[in-house]
Amino acid sequence: LISLLPDYLKYSFRIKLNDQVPLPSPSSANDFVYNGNIISAKMNVEVPLSFYAQQLILCDTVEANFGTISIDRIQNGNIILHAHNYYPLDLSISIYTLDSNKVMYDSLHTLPILIKAGLLNSQTQKVSQATQSKNVLPFTSSKLNKILKAKHLLIKAALNTKPVSQHIKIYDHYTLQLKLIGDFTYLLEK
């Protein structure tokens, strides 16, 4: 939970009355708003989250429920994470295995999982194209045994805004799509 209070508020506005209506002659006295006159207003408001961050760490512990997955015939393989990131944030993710007392005993990988920031349009300062990332996490049968014994997983994500040290805006249409694929060698019975 982020609970930082802003230290300033920036705003600007323009008001147009009788837009695209010819101005009356000043001598006609019809250039004022009187009681009973109707004024119509249109408002276009943009209120995105705006910030910059270097190594902002978000952390969560989730319960691991691998159930009764049988891995007797799995020799080795890869866990592949495909990501389509529409946010202007680089993510560096680490996942750790925890026992029932939430004591860390292993990690899912040796290097952090890297997800690159979406590409900013220099004129609009909005993300114009999602960036695709592919992370391959190799495992052996002994590593898979350790992972499946986990009662909890600790997920840490370090966020870095792109461009560095420049305020970016987060819009509600930005998305992060993740696809997890298991690719492994499995021995069949003869």
Side-chain angles (χ1 to χ4, degrees):
L1 183 65
I2 299 174
S3 60
L4 301 173
L5 296 177
D7 57 352
Y8 70 94
L9 179 64
K10 181 178 175 181
Y11 62 91
S12 66
F13 58 89
R14 293 182 320 177
I15 296 177
K16 289 184 178 182
L17 294 175
N18 300 322
D19 192 26
Q20 298 181 3
V21 175
L23 290 174
S25 166
S27 62
S28 69
N30 288 332
D31 55 349
F32 292 97
V33 176
Y34 295 100
N35 188 18
N37 288 99
I38 297 174
I39 297 177
S40 65
K42 295 179 183 176
M43 187 178 291
N44 184 8
V45 179
E46 181 181 286
V47 189
L49 171 65
S50 175
F51 72 103
Y52 70 90
Q54 287 302 110
Q55 293 298 309
L56 174 64
I57 304 291
L58 301 179
C59 209
D60 195 11
T61 303
V62 296
E63 188 174 336
N65 186 6
F66 296 115
T68 58
I69 296 174
S70 175
I71 60 164
D72 298 342
R73 296 193 180 136
I74 296 176
Q75 297 299 297
N76 55 33
N78 296 309
I79 297 172
I80 303 166
L81 178 67
H82 289 277
H84 297 304
N85 186 9
Y86 212 91
Y87 284 92
L89 300 166
D90 277 345
L91 293 123
S92 176
I93 301 171
S94 299
I95 304 172
Y96 303 97
T97 52
L98 310 176
D99 63 16
S100 58
N101 295 319
K102 295 187 179 178
V103 175
M104 185 185 314
Y105 67 87
D106 202 1
S107 68
L108 231 58
H109 44 84
T110 52
L111 297 173
I113 298 166
L114 299 175
I115 299 173
K116 293 291 184 187
L119 302 176
L120 273 182
N121 179 313
S122 60
Q123 293 177 343
T124 64
Q125 292 301 306
K126 293 182 179 179
V127 174
S128 58
Q129 182 179 349
T131 300
Q132 298 182 24
S133 302
K134 177 181 177 182
N135 288 272
V136 179
L137 311 173
F139 65 86
T140 61
S141 59
S142 63
K143 180 74 164 182
L144 188 56
N145 273 321
K146 288 181 182 179
I147 293 168
L148 294 179
K149 288 180 184 175
K151 300 299 180 194
H152 299 89
L153 296 174
L154 173 64
I155 303 167
K156 286 186 178 183
L159 284 73
N160 295 302
T161 55
K162 293 294 176 184
V164 176
S165 299
Q166 178 180 328
H167 275 83
I168 52 113
K169 294 179 179 179
I170 303 294
Y171 294 93
D172 62 352
H173 66 275
Y174 288 172
T175 59
L176 174 62
Q177 299 172 359
L178 302 172
K179 184 192 293 184
L180 194 62
I181 299 170
D183 178 19
F184 49 87
T185 304
Y186 188 84
L187 295 178
L188 298 173
E189 286 186 63
K190 290 185 178 185

